[in-house]
Structure formats: structure tokens, C-alpha cells
Amino acid sequence: NAGVTQTPKFRVLKTGQSMTLLCAQDMNHEYMYWYRQDPGMGLRLIHYSVGEGTTAKGEVPDGYNVSRLKKQNFLLGLESAAPSQTSVYFCASSLDRVRETQYFGPGTRLLVL
Amino acid sequence: GENVEQHPSTLSVQEGDSAVIKCTYSDSASNYFPWYKQELGKRPQLIIDIRSNVGEKKDQRIAVTLNKTAKHFSLHITETQPEDSAVYFCAATPRNTGGFKTIFGAGTRLFVKA
């Protein structure tokens, strides 16, 4: 049982490049989330999904897209990376709307030059 | 919009002393309050949580208290140890909305000096 995993661990992009971050969970959780973590700002929700095939915007969705084609995977895409997207990205999952405990992945450190 | 304020942003204590971190929330519909610990370079991990029908919860050296009227909740760590050094995040979630309504505080960096 690996829990929540993320790939890649670290990536450097040039402004304007695109990339996809992959999150996978093997706990059969319904809900999945993407957060970004910046110094002094805690965790901010980018997008979330309440089930396979569904996605919704969070607090800071601009510049990002997501997809959840399979229940266990949640992808975060950056179409045209900007320096402001330099951050640590965490994926998380939770069982359902009542059992809200979130389990986080190890994070992806992204640097946009 | 919903907001969770967390204080202090940095806390330094001597090993063996107690540490208290306080949070306030704005959404009165919040009823689930988790606390996460994040060690340097690691992922956030749940250490304790409390629901609005409970005023206090303890787990060994860690306790959380909730004052729904004042919309305050606090984390108390007793007999602190160097391995307690980390960033602690409080959060608040409205009833039955799942995690997508969870609002996190900005975090408290705790240093425990040996």
C-alpha cells in the first residue's frame, strides 16, 4: 500500500513550457486535491475532484488544468509555465465527503525560470 | 471569504516546555478541525483532529481544544522534544463538504531547543 505518490519529485521549466504532474493513490479514495505551498502562505487549493470524471476549481485555479480519467489518478497540467508558478505542489486524497482526513503525497518541487 | 488565521508564525521553546498554537476561523459552518505536521522537506501529515461536537481531544502529549462560540481552536504540545520541531498547520472544514472546503492556516514553525 503505497498511499499517495507523485511524479516527478523535482522539475525545472523555462517560461512558456508545459508539463503534467501525476498523482496516484491506491486507497480507493473518492476525493483528490491539488495544492500549492508557498512560503508563509500555507496550502492553497488549486483544483479538486470528487470522483472519476469530475473536476472543479479551487482557490487558485488560474494557469492550471486537471483531469481525473481514472479514480486512482489525478493529473495537474501547466500549459504555459510562468515564474509565479514556482512552488511546491502537493496532491492529497480523502475517502469521501464525511471522512475528510486528507493524505498527502510527497510533493513536487517546480522551478520556473 | 472563509479564512483561518494562525498564530504565532514562529515559536521557539526549550525542550520539555509546552507549546501552544492558536487558530481562528471565520466560517461558522465549519465543524471539522484537523492539525497537520510537516517536517522539513516532507509531506504534511495529520496528527490530531477534532469535531465541533467535542470541546477537547488528547492523544499522548498532544491536545486540541475548540471554542465554537469564539471560533477559536488551539493545539497544545506538552513536554516538547526536538523531534517536535516542524511546521504545524491548522485547518477548518464545513460540515459534510469533504476536503475541498478545507481552509488551511499559514502555518507555525516550531523550534524545540535541546
Side-chain angles (χ1 to χ4, degrees):
Chain A
N1 190 334
V4 181
T5 58
Q6 292 181 233
T7 53
K9 288 185 171 59
F10 176 69
R11 184 76 182 268
V12 178
L13 288 180
K14 294 181 179 178
T15 297
Q17 287 184 319
S18 63
M19 77 164 295
T20 300
L21 285 70
L22 171 64
C23 175
Q25 52 92 8
D26 61 2
M27 299 177 283
N28 201 34
H29 283 178
E30 290 293 332
Y31 284 24
M32 296 187 74
Y33 321 87
W34 276 107
Y35 292 93
R36 60 179 289 171
Q37 184 176 38
D38 302 294
M41 299 187 75
L43 293 153
R44 291 183 294 167
L45 184 65
I46 304 170
H47 286 280
Y48 64 94
S49 168
V50 300
E52 182 179 317
T54 73
T55 63
K57 294 180 180 179
E59 183 185 354
V60 288
D62 294 343
Y64 306 94
N65 57 76
V66 288
S67 64
R68 186 136 179 236
L69 299 179
K70 294 183 179 180
K71 185 176 183 178
Q72 62 268 33
N73 295 338
F74 196 27
L75 279 64
L76 177 71
L78 286 74
E79 291 183 345
S80 178
S84 61
Q85 294 178 304
T86 293
S87 189
V88 180
Y89 292 86
F90 284 99
C91 175
S93 69
S94 60
L95 183 58
D96 55 35
R97 69 188 288 122
V98 176
R99 288 162 285 188
E100 310 102 314
T101 300
Q102 295 190 29
Y103 298 85
F104 285 83
T108 294
R109 189 173 295 274
L110 176 65
L111 175 61
V112 182
L113 302 175
Chain B
E2 295 92 347
N3 186 44
V4 174
E5 293 191 359
Q6 184 171 348
H7 299 281
S9 57
T10 305
L11 179 59
S12 184
V13 300
Q14 205 67 35
E15 182 178 1
D17 287 349
S18 295
V20 180
I21 302 170
K22 298 182 179 181
C23 291
T24 60
Y25 60 98
S26 60
D27 185 353
S28 57
S30 296
N31 81 323
Y32 174 65
F33 307 90
W35 285 87
Y36 289 86
K37 176 184 180 181
Q38 186 178 26
E39 296 177 359
L40 189 62
K42 301 288 181 64
R43 74 189 77 189
Q45 291 192 295
L46 183 76
I47 54 171
I48 194 167
D49 55 14
I50 192 168
R51 296 193 181 272
S52 58
N53 57 346
V54 175
E56 183 176 2
K57 184 177 179 181
K58 283 186 179 180
D59 183 2
Q60 299 181 358
R61 296 186 297 109
I62 293 173
V64 58
T65 58
L66 171 65
N67 182 330
K68 275 202 72 180
T69 303
K71 293 191 277 188
H72 290 172
F73 59 115
S74 301
L75 178 71
H76 304 253
I77 306 174
T78 59
E79 299 172 21
T80 53
Q81 301 167 3
E83 51 265 38
D84 293 330
S85 295
V87 178
Y88 291 82
F89 293 98
C90 63
T93 304
R95 183 194 309 273
N96 287 348
T97 59
F100 60 85
K101 290 267 188 179
T102 297
I103 304 297
F104 287 84
T108 295
R109 187 172 295 277
L110 174 63
F111 297 95
V112 180
K113 296 175 287 187

